[in-house]
Amino acid sequence: MTAQLVMMWLTFATIVAMVVAYALERWSIELVSIATLVAWLVLFWLGPILLGEKTPLSPDDILAGFSNQALVTVLAMLVVGQGLFQTDALERPATMLARYGGRTGMGAVILILFGAMVTSAVVNDTPVVVMFLPIVTAIAATRGIATSKVLMPLSFAALLGGTTTLIGTSTNLLAAGVAQKAAGLTLGFFEFTIPAAIMAAFGFAYVTLVLPRILTARAGMADQMTGGSGKQFIAQIDITYGHPLAGIASVSGMFPALKDMTVRLVQRGEHPFLPPFENLTLRPGDTVIVAATRNALTRAISDGAAAPSRDADNGASETAPTMPTKDVTLAEAVVAPGSRLIGRTIEQAAIHLDTGTVVLGVERRSRMPRMPLSDIRLEAGDVLLVGGTRDTVEGLRLNRDLLLLEWSAADLPTRRYAKRALVIFVIMVAYAASGIGPIVIGALGGAFAMIAFGCLNIRQAIRAFDHRIFLMIGASLAAAAALEATGGAVFIADAAIDAVRGYPVSVTLSVIFIVVAILTNIISNNATAVLFTPIAIQVADKTGNDPMPFVVAVILAASCAFATPIGYQTNMLVMGPGHYRFRDYLVGGTPLVIIMWLVYSVVGPWYYGLW
């Protein structure tokens, strides 16, 4: 056996070990990725020395994937998507879709799923699912639909939409980068939009008409995702001069501007007004006591309608609690048994002076007090909604009187920058679609603009920079380089050609698609695309065909991660809220994989003239 063959089989063994390690999930993605990189470095340093040959792959070549422009583009797109999410830029369009969905719950859900699919064509699917998830669950809850019937369709719809453009998913960009490097093949923004759109149409029909009937109805976590299991906080809104609610009049006993909240009391001086409120107009100096979910309070604070700060001209002291003007974090904290705060009002407890956070609301399970927030005496077990900087909120970990609920910490959306974020996003998409220059320039420019114009801060941008994706893609690109350098890609291509020898090229294309579609449900779709793109190019060269339809087959098949929760991150994202089991993905996703395979087996050869 020659030295090259030994290196090739060692490369195969390393790739198999990597795939198995990723699939078993016994170790973290980061650990497996770093271990694989170490294995490549050792293999191509020590192997050639023992075999008395020159190494076919230098350390620079192995680590070159981390400077791959496709990888940089993917990470920059994640930052742009985080900017849209952080500003709630897509919430209003999604809400409008829900409003036009008709009276039936599924009609509204279908419109939302269609909106998610279309949006995923130009925004990474993960932030799209995160953004649409609370809207879908809210509709399901109000229309009496089990969340398990709608959340998996949401993930699948986003995946289908992401396949239609070059920037729809990270998989598309990575495969395009590998094709450019391996064969000088340049994929345009709409290179595979037509076949992908046809496949998405068939897939969407299945997702909306068949999948909800297959899925088992289970009680999900819709309430938690839509504001906390119906949990109501008592909050206080002080109406000051220039406040958005100043001058708002009651209509039919309620205040339309506070439609997502229950107004329990309006305190005007010494005179309280109780519901129903007839012919009452809010004016500066009023204190409005409301009961609302965390989501409703978050929206109101973000819009400036429920800011806890008071106007100094109104008699409040200069030391009155004020919220930071930007980069605000909200969290929930429980009053601990034996706490010194028990029996004290919020002002007496001086929580702001002690912790630097501002109390925005109080949730008490036993009863709902009808009094100003400042007059409520705290009890053990009360849940406080607090706001402040990230540092002050994290400082509650050391507080013995308040127990911070770690999972509840979340940044306050900067909704006032939503239009700004949308403009940045539209300009970036227009640049990418025009083909004027490399997409990486537009992606990095968009990420920079999101930070420079205040849509994101550096910490939020870094959080969007997923180190797991960075390491996994870098390790996968190293594996692809090893396959090419040792002749492994050619070997696999020859084996594939021998297996379908004598069959039409359309059959070869179909076989490549189904093999990739199966593997993408076992390992990462990004890793599958990176590994199989050079193999597909080799198969095209060996059969004397244009490599484009083969690369497109890999791209589209790698996005068929429907049959397992580990196939794609959005599947994992909806697994908990939907109370899904592994079997649910097999039952609901496998038919969709088969549909995508059959449709491409017809559409691909037709579109590229391979019949």
Side-chain angles (χ1 to χ4, degrees), residues 33 79 120 182 190 202 240 376 595:
S33 299
V79 174
S120 291
F190 299 108
F202 279 91
T240 60
I376 297 176
I595 290 171

Side-chain angles (χ1 to χ4, degrees), residues 234-236 262-267 272-277 288-291 364 367-376:
I234 292 294
Q236 176 174 315
T262 301
V263 180
R264 297 179 57 82
L265 171 71
V266 176
Q267 185 76 34
F273 293 90
L274 300 176
F277 304 99
V288 182
I289 307 303
V290 300
R364 179 170 293 166
R367 61 192 182 280
M368 295 289 285
R370 196 187 298 271
M371 63 178 68
L373 188 65
S374 55
D375 294 340
I376 297 176

Side-chain angles (χ1 to χ4, degrees), residues 71-103:
L71 176 57
V72 174
T73 303
V74 168
L75 297 173
M77 290 291 294
L78 290 175
V79 174
V80 172
Q82 182 68 16
L84 293 173
F85 173 70
Q86 188 60 34
T87 57
D88 275 350
L90 298 181
E91 183 187 35
R92 184 168 297 177
T95 305
M96 289 177 61
L97 283 175
R99 190 179 302 124
Y100 293 123
R103 296 183 179 180

Side-chain angles (χ1 to χ4, degrees), residues 137-424:
T137 50
I139 293 173
T142 55
R143 307 294 174 90
I145 302 172
T147 52
S148 61
K149 297 280 189 179
V150 296
L151 294 188
M152 190 183 295
L154 173 63
S155 176
F156 289 178
L159 262 171
L160 290 170
T163 62
T164 56
T165 66
L166 186 60
I167 66 171
T169 69
S170 56
T171 306
N172 303 354
L173 289 166
L174 289 168
V178 174
Q180 172 71 37
K181 183 178 179 180
L185 202 63
T186 301
L187 279 73
F189 189 86
F190 299 108
E191 187 67 52
F192 41 85
T193 297
I194 292 178
I198 295 173
M199 294 172 62
F202 279 91
F204 189 74
Y206 168 81
V207 164
T208 54
L209 302 178
V210 180
L211 184 57
R213 300 176 185 272
I214 295 176
L215 295 171
T216 303
R218 296 195 184 97
M221 296 163 59
D223 290 333
Q224 180 178 339
M225 299 304 297
T226 56
S229 61
K231 184 166 61 179
Q232 298 276 317
F233 287 91
I234 292 294
Q236 176 174 315
I237 303 175
D238 298 308
I239 309 299
T240 60
Y241 288 99
H243 194 281
L245 296 179
I248 298 296
S250 61
V251 177
S252 300
M254 298 182 295
F255 293 95
L258 296 170
K259 61 181 180 180
D260 295 331
M261 304 181 182
T262 301
V263 180
R264 297 179 57 82
L265 171 71
V266 176
Q267 185 76 34
R268 181 171 291 169
E270 298 296 324
H271 182 69
F273 293 90
L274 300 176
F277 304 99
E278 300 294 341
N279 302 319
L280 181 63
T281 300
L282 298 180
R283 62 192 189 192
D286 289 348
T287 297
V288 182
I289 307 303
V290 300
T293 64
R294 174 172 171 172
N295 269 5
L297 285 175
T298 298
R299 284 193 296 269
I301 296 169
S302 206
D303 292 335
S309 59
R310 298 176 181 172
D311 197 320
D313 295 336
N314 254 0
S317 70
E318 295 182 0
T319 60
T322 57
M323 287 277 282
T325 56
K326 59 180 182 178
D327 299 341
V328 178
T329 297
L330 301 184
E332 296 175 27
V334 179
V335 178
S339 169
R340 294 174 300 172
L341 307 180
I342 295 174
R344 299 183 182 182
T345 65
I346 293 173
E347 291 185 353
Q348 291 172 344
I351 294 175
H352 177 64
L353 295 177
D354 186 34
T355 67
T357 61
V358 177
V359 177
L360 305 171
V362 177
E363 187 266 334
R364 179 170 293 166
R365 297 189 183 277
S366 58
R367 61 192 182 280
M368 295 289 285
R370 196 187 298 271
M371 63 178 68
L373 188 65
S374 55
D375 294 340
I376 297 176
R377 293 190 178 274
L378 299 177
E379 299 177 0
D382 284 350
V383 180
L384 307 184
L385 179 65
V386 298
T389 64
R390 172 64 65 165
D391 289 339
T392 58
V393 169
E394 290 180 349
L396 291 175
R397 295 171 179 167
L398 304 177
N399 194 295
R400 295 183 178 181
D401 296 312
L402 291 174
L403 305 177
L404 176 65
L405 303 179
E406 296 279 356
W407 57 266
S408 68
D411 293 333
L412 183 71
T414 50
R415 296 164 66 93
R416 63 185 181 277
Y417 294 147
K419 292 182 178 178
R420 190 178 299 180
L422 280 175
V423 169
I424 293 170

Side-chain angles (χ1 to χ4, degrees), residues 24 39 66 68 196 228 286 601:
L24 289 178
F66 292 103
N68 185 288
D286 289 348
S601 296

